[in-house]
Coordinates of all heavy atoms in Angstrom, one line a residue:
M152 N -6.2 10.2 18.2 CA -5.6 10.6 16.9 C -4.2 10.2 16.8 O -3.7 9.7 15.9 CB -5.8 12.1 16.6 CG -7.2 12.6 16.7 SD -8.3 11.6 15.6 CE -9.8 11.6 16.6
Q153 N -3.4 10.5 17.9 CA -2.0 10.2 17.9 C -1.8 8.6 17.7 O -1.0 8.2 17.1 CB -1.4 10.6 19.3 CG 0.1 10.6 19.3 CD 0.7 11.5 18.3 OE1 0.1 12.5 17.9 NE2 1.9 11.2 17.9
G154 N -2.7 7.9 18.4 CA -2.6 6.4 18.4 C -2.8 5.9 16.9 O -2.0 5.0 16.5
I155 N -3.6 6.5 16.2 CA -3.8 6.1 14.8 C -2.6 6.3 14.0 O -2.1 5.5 13.2 CB -5.0 6.9 14.1 CG1 -6.3 6.4 14.8 CG2 -5.1 6.7 12.7 CD1 -7.5 7.1 14.4
R156 N -1.9 7.5 14.2 CA -0.7 7.8 13.5 C 0.4 6.8 13.8 O 1.1 6.3 12.9 CB -0.2 9.2 13.8 CG -0.7 10.2 12.9 CD -0.4 11.6 13.3 NE -1.5 12.5 12.9 CZ -1.8 12.8 11.7 NH1 -1.1 12.3 10.7 NH2 -2.8 13.5 11.4
V157 N 0.5 6.5 15.1 CA 1.5 5.6 15.6 C 1.3 4.2 14.9 O 2.2 3.6 14.4 CB 1.6 5.5 17.1 CG1 2.4 4.3 17.6 CG2 2.0 6.8 17.7
L158 N 0.0 3.8 14.8 CA -0.3 2.5 14.2 C 0.1 2.5 12.8 O 0.7 1.6 12.3 CB -1.8 2.3 14.3 CG -2.4 1.1 13.6 CD1 -1.8 -0.2 14.3 CD2 -3.9 1.0 13.6
F159 N -0.2 3.6 12.0 CA 0.2 3.7 10.6 C 1.7 3.6 10.4 O 2.2 2.9 9.6 CB -0.3 5.0 10.0 CG -1.7 5.0 9.7 CD1 -2.5 6.2 9.9 CD2 -2.4 3.8 9.2 CE1 -3.8 6.1 9.6 CE2 -3.7 3.8 9.0 CZ -4.4 5.0 9.2
I160 N 2.4 4.3 11.3 CA 3.9 4.3 11.1 C 4.4 2.9 11.4 O 5.2 2.3 10.7 CB 4.5 5.3 12.0 CG1 4.2 6.7 11.5 CG2 6.1 5.1 12.1 CD1 4.6 7.9 12.4
G161 N 3.8 2.3 12.4 CA 4.2 0.9 12.8 C 3.9 -0.1 11.6 O 4.8 -0.9 11.3
L162 N 2.7 0.1 11.0 CA 2.4 -0.8 9.8 C 3.3 -0.5 8.7 O 3.8 -1.4 8.1 CB 1.0 -0.5 9.4 CG -0.1 -1.0 10.3 CD1 -1.5 -0.5 9.9 CD2 -0.1 -2.5 10.3
A163 N 3.7 0.7 8.4 CA 4.6 1.1 7.3 C 6.0 0.4 7.6 O 6.6 -0.1 6.7 CB 4.7 2.6 7.2
L164 N 6.4 0.5 8.8 CA 7.7 -0.1 9.2 C 7.7 -1.6 9.0 O 8.6 -2.2 8.4 CB 8.1 0.3 10.6 CG 8.6 1.7 10.8 CD1 8.7 2.0 12.3 CD2 9.8 2.0 10.0
S165 N 6.6 -2.2 9.5 CA 6.6 -3.7 9.3 C 6.4 -4.1 7.9 O 6.7 -5.2 7.5 CB 5.5 -4.3 10.2 OG 4.2 -3.8 9.9
A166 N 5.9 -3.2 7.0 CA 5.8 -3.5 5.6 C 7.2 -3.4 4.9 O 7.3 -3.6 3.7 CB 4.8 -2.6 4.9
G167 N 8.2 -3.0 5.6 CA 9.5 -3.0 5.1 C 10.0 -1.6 4.5 O 11.0 -1.6 3.8
L168 N 9.2 -0.6 4.8 CA 9.6 0.7 4.3 C 10.7 1.3 5.2 O 10.8 0.9 6.3 CB 8.4 1.7 4.3 CG 7.2 1.3 3.5 CD1 6.1 2.2 3.7 CD2 7.6 1.3 2.0
S169 N 11.5 2.2 4.6 CA 12.6 2.8 5.4 C 11.9 3.8 6.3 O 10.8 4.2 6.2 CB 13.5 3.5 4.5 OG 13.0 4.7 4.0
G170 N 12.7 4.2 7.4 CA 12.2 5.2 8.3 C 11.8 6.5 7.7 O 10.8 7.1 8.0
A171 N 12.6 6.9 6.7 CA 12.3 8.1 6.0 C 10.9 8.1 5.3 O 10.2 9.0 5.3 CB 13.4 8.5 5.0
Q172 N 10.7 7.0 4.6 CA 9.4 6.8 3.9 C 8.2 6.8 4.8 O 7.2 7.3 4.5 CB 9.5 5.5 3.0 CG 10.2 5.7 1.7 CD 10.3 4.4 1.0 OE1 10.6 3.4 1.6 NE2 10.0 4.4 -0.3
A173 N 8.4 6.2 6.0 CA 7.4 6.0 6.9 C 6.9 7.3 7.5 O 5.7 7.4 7.9 CB 7.8 5.1 8.1
Q174 N 7.7 8.4 7.4 CA 7.3 9.7 7.9 C 6.4 10.4 6.9 O 5.7 11.4 7.2 CB 8.5 10.5 8.2 CG 9.2 10.1 9.6 CD 10.6 10.6 9.7 OE1 10.9 11.5 9.1 NE2 11.3 10.0 10.6
L175 N 6.4 10.0 5.6 CA 5.5 10.6 4.6 C 4.1 10.1 4.8 O 3.9 9.1 5.6 CB 6.0 10.2 3.2 CG 7.4 10.6 2.9 CD1 7.8 10.0 1.5 CD2 7.6 12.1 2.9
A176 N 3.1 10.8 4.2 CA 1.8 10.3 4.3 C 1.7 8.9 3.8 O 2.2 8.6 2.7 CB 0.8 11.2 3.5
P177 N 1.1 8.0 4.6 CA 1.0 6.6 4.2 C 0.2 6.4 2.9 O -0.7 7.2 2.6 CB 0.3 5.9 5.3 CG 0.3 6.9 6.4 CD 0.4 8.2 5.8
A178 N 0.5 5.4 2.1 CA -0.2 5.1 0.9 C -1.7 4.8 1.1 O -2.1 4.4 2.2 CB 0.4 3.9 0.2
G179 N -2.5 5.1 0.1 CA -3.9 4.9 0.2 C -4.4 3.6 0.7 O -5.3 3.5 1.6
R180 N -3.7 2.5 0.3 CA -4.2 1.2 0.7 C -3.9 0.9 2.2 O -4.8 0.4 2.8 CB -3.3 0.1 -0.1 CG -3.5 -1.3 0.4 CD -4.9 -1.8 0.1 NE -5.0 -3.3 0.2 CZ -5.1 -3.9 1.4 NH1 -4.9 -3.3 2.5 NH2 -5.3 -5.2 1.4
L181 N -2.8 1.5 2.6 CA -2.6 1.3 4.1 C -3.6 2.1 4.9 O -4.1 1.6 5.9 CB -1.1 1.9 4.3 CG -0.6 1.6 5.7 CD1 -0.5 0.1 6.0 CD2 0.9 2.1 5.8
L182 N -3.9 3.3 4.5 CA -4.9 4.1 5.2 C -6.3 3.4 5.1 O -7.0 3.3 6.1 CB -5.1 5.5 4.6 CG -3.9 6.4 4.9 CD1 -4.0 7.6 3.9 CD2 -4.0 6.9 6.3
A183 N -6.6 2.9 3.9 CA -7.9 2.3 3.7 C -8.1 1.0 4.5 O -9.2 0.6 4.7 CB -8.1 2.0 2.2
S184 N -7.0 0.3 4.9 CA -7.2 -0.9 5.6 C -7.9 -0.6 6.9 O -8.5 -1.5 7.5 CB -5.8 -1.6 5.9 OG -5.0 -0.7 6.7
N185 N -7.9 0.6 7.4 CA -8.7 1.0 8.6 C -10.2 0.9 8.3 O -10.9 0.9 9.3 CB -8.4 2.4 8.9 CG -7.5 2.6 10.1 OD1 -7.1 1.6 10.7 ND2 -7.1 3.8 10.4
C186 N -10.6 0.9 7.1 CA -12.0 1.0 6.8 C -12.6 -0.4 6.6 O -13.8 -0.6 6.6 CB -12.2 1.8 5.5 SG -11.2 3.2 5.3
F187 N -11.7 -1.4 6.4 CA -12.2 -2.7 5.9 C -13.1 -3.4 6.9 O -14.0 -4.2 6.5 CB -11.0 -3.6 5.5 CG -10.2 -3.0 4.4 CD1 -9.0 -3.5 4.1 CD2 -10.7 -1.9 3.6 CE1 -8.2 -3.0 3.0 CE2 -9.9 -1.4 2.6 CZ -8.6 -2.0 2.3
Q188 N -12.8 -3.2 8.2 CA -13.6 -4.0 9.2 C -15.1 -3.6 9.1 O -15.9 -4.5 9.3 CB -13.1 -3.6 10.6 CG -13.9 -4.4 11.7 CD -13.0 -4.8 12.8 OE1 -11.9 -4.4 12.9 NE2 -13.5 -5.7 13.7
C189 N -15.4 -2.4 8.8 CA -16.8 -2.0 8.6 C -17.3 -2.0 7.2 O -18.5 -2.2 6.9 CB -17.0 -0.6 9.2 SG -16.7 -0.5 11.0
H190 N -16.4 -1.8 6.2 CA -16.9 -1.6 4.8 C -16.4 -2.8 4.0 O -16.6 -2.8 2.7 CB -16.4 -0.3 4.2 CG -17.1 0.9 4.8 ND1 -18.3 1.3 4.5 CD2 -16.6 1.8 5.7 CE1 -18.6 2.4 5.2 NE2 -17.6 2.7 5.9
G191 N -15.8 -3.8 4.6 CA -15.4 -5.0 3.8 C -14.0 -4.8 3.2 O -13.6 -3.7 3.1
T192 N -13.4 -5.9 2.9 CA -12.0 -5.9 2.4 C -12.0 -5.0 1.0 O -12.9 -5.3 0.2 CB -11.5 -7.3 2.1 OG1 -11.5 -8.0 3.3 CG2 -10.1 -7.3 1.6
N193 N -11.1 -4.1 1.0 CA -11.0 -3.2 -0.2 C -12.2 -2.4 -0.4 O -12.4 -1.8 -1.5 CB -10.6 -3.9 -1.5 CG -9.2 -4.6 -1.3 OD1 -8.4 -4.2 -0.5 ND2 -9.0 -5.7 -2.0
G194 N -13.0 -2.3 0.7 CA -14.2 -1.4 0.7 C -15.4 -2.0 -0.1 O -16.4 -1.3 -0.4
K195 N -15.3 -3.3 -0.4 CA -16.3 -3.9 -1.3 C -17.4 -4.6 -0.6 O -18.2 -5.3 -1.2 CB -15.6 -4.9 -2.2 CG -14.6 -4.2 -3.2 CD -13.8 -5.3 -4.0 CE -12.9 -4.6 -4.9 NZ -12.1 -5.5 -5.8
G196 N -17.5 -4.4 0.7 CA -18.5 -5.0 1.5 C -18.2 -6.5 1.7 O -17.1 -6.9 1.2
P197 N -18.9 -7.3 2.5 CA -20.2 -6.9 3.1 C -19.9 -6.0 4.3 O -18.8 -5.9 4.7 CB -20.8 -8.3 3.6 CG -19.6 -9.1 3.8 CD -18.5 -8.7 2.8
G198 N -21.0 -5.4 4.8 CA -20.8 -4.5 5.9 C -21.7 -3.3 5.7 O -22.7 -3.4 5.0
F199 N -21.3 -2.1 6.1 CA -22.0 -0.9 5.7 C -21.7 -0.6 4.3 O -21.1 -1.4 3.6 CB -21.5 0.2 6.7 CG -21.7 0.0 8.1 CD1 -20.7 -0.2 9.0 CD2 -23.0 0.0 8.6 CE1 -21.0 -0.5 10.3 CE2 -23.3 -0.2 9.9 CZ -22.3 -0.5 10.8
D200 N -22.2 0.5 3.8 CA -22.2 0.8 2.3 C -20.8 0.5 1.7 O -19.8 0.8 2.3 CB -22.4 2.3 2.1 CG -23.6 2.9 3.0 OD1 -24.7 2.6 2.6 OD2 -23.3 3.6 3.9
A201 N -20.8 -0.1 0.5 CA -19.6 -0.4 -0.2 C -19.0 1.0 -0.6 O -19.7 1.9 -0.9 CB -19.9 -1.2 -1.5
I202 N -17.7 1.2 -0.4 CA -17.0 2.5 -0.7 C -16.0 2.4 -1.8 O -15.2 3.3 -2.0 CB -16.4 3.0 0.6 CG1 -15.5 2.0 1.2 CG2 -17.5 3.5 1.6 CD1 -14.7 2.6 2.4
N203 N -16.0 1.2 -2.5 CA -15.1 1.0 -3.6 C -15.6 1.6 -4.9 O -16.8 1.7 -5.1 CB -14.8 -0.5 -3.7 CG -16.0 -1.2 -4.2 OD1 -17.0 -1.2 -3.6 ND2 -15.9 -1.9 -5.4
G204 N -14.7 1.8 -5.8 CA -15.0 2.1 -7.2 C -15.9 3.3 -7.6 O -16.5 3.3 -8.6
K205 N -15.9 4.2 -6.7 CA -16.7 5.5 -7.0 C -15.8 6.4 -7.8 O -14.6 6.2 -7.9 CB -17.0 6.2 -5.7 CG -17.6 5.3 -4.6 CD -19.0 5.5 -4.4 CE -19.5 4.7 -3.2 NZ -20.8 4.2 -3.4
S206 N -16.3 7.5 -8.4 CA -15.5 8.4 -9.1 C -14.6 9.1 -8.2 O -14.9 9.4 -7.0 CB -16.3 9.4 -10.0 OG -17.7 9.3 -9.8
V207 N -13.4 9.6 -8.7 CA -12.5 10.3 -7.9 C -13.2 11.5 -7.3 O -13.8 12.2 -8.1 CB -11.2 10.7 -8.7 CG1 -10.3 11.5 -7.9 CG2 -10.5 9.4 -9.1
G208 N -13.0 11.8 -6.0 CA -13.6 13.0 -5.4 C -14.8 12.7 -4.6 O -15.2 13.4 -3.7
E209 N -15.5 11.6 -5.0 CA -16.8 11.3 -4.3 C -16.6 10.9 -2.8 O -17.3 11.5 -1.9 CB -17.5 10.1 -5.0 CG -19.0 10.2 -5.2 CD -19.6 9.1 -6.0 OE1 -19.1 9.0 -7.2 OE2 -20.4 8.4 -5.5
I210 N -15.7 10.0 -2.5 CA -15.5 9.6 -1.2 C -14.9 10.8 -0.4 O -15.2 11.0 0.8 CB -14.5 8.4 -1.1 CG1 -15.2 7.2 -1.8 CG2 -14.0 8.0 0.3 CD1 -16.3 6.6 -1.0
Y211 N -14.0 11.5 -1.0 CA -13.4 12.7 -0.4 C -14.5 13.6 0.1 O -14.5 14.1 1.2 CB -12.4 13.4 -1.4 CG -11.8 14.7 -0.8 CD1 -10.8 14.6 0.2 CD2 -12.3 15.9 -1.2 CE1 -10.3 15.8 0.7 CE2 -11.8 17.1 -0.7 CZ -10.8 17.0 0.3 OH -10.3 18.2 0.8
T212 N -15.4 14.0 -0.8 CA -16.5 14.9 -0.5 C -17.3 14.4 0.7 O -17.6 15.1 1.6 CB -17.4 15.1 -1.7 OG1 -16.6 15.6 -2.8 CG2 -18.5 16.1 -1.5
K213 N -17.6 13.1 0.7 CA -18.4 12.5 1.8 C -17.6 12.6 3.1 O -18.2 13.0 4.1 CB -18.6 11.0 1.5 CG -19.8 10.7 0.6 CD -21.0 10.5 1.4 CE -22.2 10.3 0.5 NZ -23.5 10.5 1.1
L214 N -16.3 12.3 3.0 CA -15.5 12.3 4.3 C -15.4 13.7 4.8 O -15.5 13.9 6.0 CB -14.1 11.7 4.0 CG -14.1 10.2 3.7 CD1 -12.8 9.7 3.2 CD2 -14.6 9.4 4.9
K215 N -15.3 14.7 3.9 CA -15.3 16.2 4.4 C -16.6 16.5 5.0 O -16.7 17.2 6.0 CB -15.0 17.1 3.2 CG -13.6 17.0 2.6 CD -12.5 17.2 3.7 CE -12.3 18.7 4.0 NZ -11.1 18.9 4.9
E216 N -17.7 16.0 4.5 CA -19.1 16.2 5.1 C -19.2 15.6 6.5 O -19.7 16.1 7.4 CB -20.2 15.7 4.2 CG -20.4 16.6 2.9 CD -21.3 16.0 1.9 OE1 -21.9 14.9 2.1 OE2 -21.4 16.6 0.8
F217 N -18.6 14.3 6.5 CA -18.6 13.7 7.9 C -17.8 14.5 8.9 O -18.2 14.7 10.0 CB -17.9 12.3 7.7 CG -18.9 11.2 7.2 CD1 -18.5 10.5 6.1 CD2 -20.2 11.0 7.7 CE1 -19.3 9.5 5.5 CE2 -21.0 10.0 7.2 CZ -20.6 9.3 6.1
Q218 N -16.6 15.0 8.4 CA -15.7 15.8 9.3 C -16.5 17.0 9.8 O -16.3 17.4 11.0 CB -14.5 16.2 8.5 CG -13.3 15.2 8.6 CD -12.0 15.9 8.1 OE1 -12.0 16.9 7.4 NE2 -10.9 15.2 8.4
A219 N -17.2 17.6 8.9 CA -18.0 18.8 9.3 C -19.2 18.5 10.1 O -19.9 19.5 10.5 CB -18.3 19.6 8.0
G220 N -19.5 17.3 10.3 CA -20.7 16.9 11.1 C -22.0 17.1 10.3 O -23.1 17.1 10.9
K221 N -21.9 17.2 8.9 CA -23.1 17.4 8.1 C -23.8 16.1 7.7 O -24.8 16.1 7.1 CB -22.7 18.2 6.8 CG -22.3 19.6 7.0 CD -22.0 20.2 5.7 CE -21.3 21.5 5.9 NZ -20.5 21.9 4.7
E222 N -23.1 14.9 8.0 CA -23.6 13.7 7.4 C -23.5 12.6 8.5 O -22.6 12.7 9.4 CB -22.7 13.2 6.3 CG -23.2 13.6 4.9 CD -24.1 12.6 4.4 OE1 -24.5 11.6 5.0 OE2 -24.6 12.8 3.2
G223 N -24.3 11.6 8.4 CA -24.1 10.4 9.2 C -24.6 10.5 10.6 O -25.1 11.5 11.1
N224 N -24.4 9.3 11.4 CA -24.9 9.3 12.7 C -23.9 9.5 13.8 O -24.1 9.2 15.0 CB -25.6 7.9 12.9 CG -24.7 6.8 12.9 OD1 -23.5 6.9 12.8 ND2 -25.2 5.5 12.8
G225 N -22.6 9.8 13.4 CA -21.6 10.1 14.3 C -20.4 9.2 14.2 O -19.3 9.6 14.5
I226 N -20.6 7.9 13.8 CA -19.5 7.0 13.7 C -18.4 7.5 12.7 O -17.3 7.6 13.0 CB -20.0 5.6 13.3 CG1 -20.8 5.0 14.4 CG2 -18.8 4.7 13.0 CD1 -21.4 3.6 14.1
M227 N -18.9 7.8 11.5 CA -18.0 8.2 10.4 C -17.5 9.6 10.7 O -16.4 10.0 10.4 CB -18.7 8.2 9.1 CG -18.7 6.8 8.4 SD -17.0 6.1 8.3 CE -16.1 7.3 7.4
A228 N -18.3 10.5 11.4 CA -17.9 11.8 11.7 C -16.6 11.7 12.6 O -15.6 12.4 12.3 CB -19.0 12.6 12.3
K229 N -16.7 10.9 13.6 CA -15.5 10.8 14.5 C -14.4 10.1 13.8 O -13.2 10.6 13.9 CB -15.9 9.9 15.7 CG -17.0 10.5 16.6 CD -16.5 10.5 18.0 CE -17.4 11.4 18.9 NZ -18.8 11.3 18.7
H230 N -14.7 9.1 13.0 CA -13.6 8.4 12.3 C -12.9 9.4 11.3 O -11.6 9.5 11.2 CB -14.1 7.2 11.5 CG -13.1 6.3 11.0 ND1 -12.6 5.3 11.8 CD2 -12.4 6.2 9.9 CE1 -11.6 4.7 11.1 NE2 -11.5 5.2 10.0
A231 N -13.7 10.1 10.5 CA -13.1 11.0 9.5 C -12.2 12.1 10.1 O -11.2 12.6 9.5 CB -14.2 11.7 8.7
L232 N -12.5 12.5 11.3 CA -11.7 13.5 12.0 C -10.2 13.1 12.2 O -9.4 13.9 12.4 CB -12.3 13.9 13.3 CG -13.5 14.8 13.2 CD1 -14.2 15.0 14.6 CD2 -13.1 16.2 12.7
G233 N -10.0 11.8 12.1 CA -8.6 11.3 12.4 C -7.7 11.5 11.2 O -6.5 11.1 11.3
Y234 N -8.1 12.0 10.1 CA -7.3 12.1 8.9 C -7.0 13.5 8.4 O -7.9 14.4 8.5 CB -7.9 11.3 7.8 CG -8.2 9.9 8.1 CD1 -9.3 9.5 8.6 CD2 -7.1 9.0 7.9 CE1 -9.5 8.1 9.0 CE2 -7.3 7.6 8.2 CZ -8.5 7.2 8.8 OH -8.7 5.9 9.1
T235 N -5.8 13.8 7.9 CA -5.5 15.1 7.3 C -6.2 15.1 6.0 O -6.6 14.1 5.4 CB -4.0 15.3 7.1 OG1 -3.6 14.3 6.2 CG2 -3.2 15.1 8.4
D236 N -6.2 16.3 5.4 CA -6.8 16.5 4.0 C -6.0 15.6 3.0 O -6.7 15.0 2.2 CB -6.6 17.9 3.6 CG -7.8 18.4 2.8 OD1 -9.0 18.2 3.2 OD2 -7.6 18.9 1.7
A237 N -4.7 15.6 3.1 CA -3.9 14.8 2.2 C -4.2 13.3 2.3 O -4.3 12.6 1.4 CB -2.4 15.0 2.4
E238 N -4.5 12.9 3.6 CA -4.8 11.5 3.8 C -6.2 11.1 3.3 O -6.4 10.1 2.7 CB -4.7 11.2 5.3 CG -3.3 11.1 5.8 CD -3.2 11.1 7.3 OE1 -4.1 11.5 8.0 OE2 -2.1 10.7 7.8
L239 N -7.1 12.1 3.4 CA -8.5 11.9 2.8 C -8.4 11.7 1.3 O -9.1 10.9 0.7 CB -9.5 13.0 3.2 CG -9.8 13.1 4.7 CD1 -10.9 14.2 4.9 CD2 -10.3 11.8 5.3
Q240 N -7.5 12.5 0.7 CA -7.4 12.5 -0.8 C -6.7 11.1 -1.2 O -7.1 10.6 -2.2 CB -6.6 13.7 -1.3 CG -7.4 14.9 -1.3 CD -6.6 16.2 -1.6 OE1 -5.5 16.1 -2.1 NE2 -7.2 17.3 -1.3
A241 N -5.8 10.7 -0.4 CA -5.1 9.4 -0.7 C -6.1 8.3 -0.6 O -6.2 7.3 -1.4 CB -3.9 9.2 0.2
L242 N -7.0 8.3 0.4 CA -8.0 7.3 0.6 C -9.0 7.3 -0.6 O -9.3 6.3 -1.1 CB -8.9 7.6 1.9 CG -8.3 7.2 3.2 CD1 -9.0 7.9 4.3 CD2 -8.5 5.7 3.3
D243 N -9.4 8.5 -0.9 CA -10.4 8.7 -2.0 C -9.8 8.1 -3.3 O -10.4 7.3 -4.0 CB -10.6 10.2 -2.2 CG -11.5 10.5 -3.4 OD1 -12.7 10.3 -3.3 OD2 -10.9 10.9 -4.5
K244 N -8.6 8.5 -3.6 CA -7.9 8.0 -4.9 C -7.8 6.5 -4.9 O -8.1 5.9 -5.9 CB -6.5 8.7 -4.9 CG -6.2 9.1 -6.3 CD -4.8 9.7 -6.3 CE -4.7 10.9 -7.2 NZ -3.6 11.8 -7.0
W245 N -7.3 5.9 -3.8 CA -7.1 4.5 -3.8 C -8.4 3.7 -3.9 O -8.5 2.8 -4.7 CB -6.3 4.0 -2.5 CG -5.9 2.6 -2.7 CD1 -4.8 2.1 -3.3 CD2 -6.7 1.5 -2.1 NE1 -4.9 0.7 -3.3 CE2 -6.0 0.3 -2.6 CE3 -7.8 1.4 -1.4 CZ2 -6.4 -1.0 -2.2 CZ3 -8.3 0.1 -1.1 CH2 -7.6 -1.0 -1.5
L246 N -9.4 4.1 -3.1 CA -10.7 3.4 -3.1 C -11.3 3.5 -4.4 O -12.0 2.5 -4.9 CB -11.6 4.0 -2.0 CG -11.2 3.6 -0.6 CD1 -12.0 4.5 0.4 CD2 -11.6 2.1 -0.3
S247 N -11.1 4.6 -5.2 CA -11.7 4.7 -6.5 C -11.2 3.7 -7.5 O -11.8 3.4 -8.5 CB -11.6 6.1 -7.0 OG -10.2 6.4 -7.4
T248 N -9.9 3.2 -7.2 CA -9.4 2.2 -8.1 C -9.9 0.8 -7.9 O -9.6 -0.1 -8.7 CB -7.8 2.2 -8.0 OG1 -7.5 1.7 -6.7 CG2 -7.2 3.6 -8.2
Q249 N -10.6 0.6 -6.8 CA -11.1 -0.7 -6.4 C -12.4 -1.1 -7.1 O -13.5 -1.0 -6.4 CB -11.1 -0.9 -4.9 CG -9.8 -0.7 -4.2 CD -8.8 -1.6 -4.8 OE1 -8.9 -2.9 -4.7 NE2 -7.7 -1.1 -5.4
R250 N -12.4 -1.5 -8.3 CA -13.6 -1.8 -9.1 C -14.1 -3.2 -8.7 O -13.3 -4.1 -8.5 CB -13.4 -1.7 -10.6 CG -12.9 -0.3 -11.0 CD -14.0 0.6 -11.3 NE -13.6 2.0 -11.3 CZ -14.4 3.0 -11.3 NH1 -15.7 2.8 -11.3 NH2 -14.0 4.3 -11.4
Ligands
HEC185 C1 -16.6 1.5 12.9 C2 -17.1 1.2 11.6 C3 -16.6 2.1 10.4 C4 -15.4 2.3 10.0 C5 -14.1 1.8 10.6 C6 -15.4 3.1 8.8 N1 -16.7 3.4 8.5 FE1 -17.4 4.4 6.9 N2 -19.4 4.2 7.6 C7 -19.7 3.5 8.8 C8 -21.2 3.7 9.0 C9 -22.0 3.2 10.1 C10 -21.6 4.4 7.9 C11 -23.1 4.9 7.7 C12 -23.1 6.5 7.9 C13 -23.0 6.8 9.3 O1 -23.9 6.3 10.1 O2 -22.2 7.6 9.8 C14 -20.5 4.7 7.0 C15 -20.6 5.4 5.8 C16 -19.5 5.8 5.1 C17 -19.5 6.5 3.8 C18 -20.8 7.0 3.1 C19 -21.2 5.9 2.1 C20 -22.4 6.3 1.3 O3 -22.6 5.7 0.3 O4 -23.1 7.3 1.7 C21 -18.3 6.6 3.4 C22 -17.8 7.3 2.1 C23 -17.4 6.0 4.3 N3 -18.2 5.4 5.4 C24 -16.1 5.9 4.2 C25 -15.2 5.3 5.1 C26 -13.8 5.3 5.0 C27 -13.0 5.9 3.8 C28 -13.3 4.6 6.1 C29 -11.9 4.4 6.5 C30 -11.0 5.6 6.5 C31 -14.4 4.2 6.9 N4 -15.6 4.7 6.2 C32 -14.4 3.5 8.1 C33 -18.9 2.8 9.6 C34 -17.5 2.8 9.5

């Protein structure tokens, strides 16, 4: 989990943000880039289920179910555990804009 945070801060810094900004929760797009290898660029596939363009709250609800171990085969459950609630909301919001 620590490794993921360090990676985000590193990405934020290399994107030219100031150190102060890098300490805030990363923007949704930056967080979502973690999902693209399996769900396609911007969540649009190909790969596992497309996760773009859903209504606000839908992805968040799914990710909370994954975190709670109520959904999936374990891959997403483990992945979802790496994010805070605010980060899950940022992911949800950004992915919903990707029509
Ligand atoms: C290592 C590959 C991998 C990565 C990375 C990954 N996912 Fe997934 N995702 C899966 C798999 C596999 C499933 C199918 C459900 C399961 O088996 O857990 C899935 C399912 C989902 C679903 C449910 C889709 C549906 O229609 O039921 C959502 C939502 C989701 N992922 C969101 C994300 C988000 C958001 C990220 C990035 C933060 C992400 N995933 C990163 C592999 C991945």
Side-chain angles (χ1 to χ4, degrees):
M152 301 307 143
Q153 191 63 26
I155 289 172
R156 268 175 215 291
V157 169
L158 174 67
F159 284 142
I160 290 170
L162 288 172
L164 286 172
S165 61
L168 298 175
S169 75
Q172 278 174 315
Q174 284 164 19
L175 300 174
R180 170 66 167 75
L181 192 55
L182 287 166
S184 64
N185 255 357
C186 322
F187 300 167
Q188 183 143 10
C189 295
H190 291 282
T192 302
N193 298 333
K195 297 177 180 177
F199 297 111
D200 316 288
I202 54 173
N203 66 302
K205 315 253 188 218
S206 4
V207 174
E209 220 173 301
I210 295 290
Y211 175 78
T212 303
K213 277 270 178 196
L214 291 171
K215 291 304 279 185
E216 286 171 4
F217 283 128
Q218 274 192 339
K221 291 182 194 155
E222 265 276 1
N224 65 12
I226 293 175
M227 276 308 301
K229 295 233 165 42
H230 193 87
L232 282 171
Y234 300 92
T235 64
D236 215 54
E238 287 169 339
L239 294 185
Q240 283 171 18
L242 275 165
D243 174 80
K244 220 180 218 166
W245 188 83
L246 285 165
S247 73
T248 66
Q249 297 305 297
R250 302 271 165 192

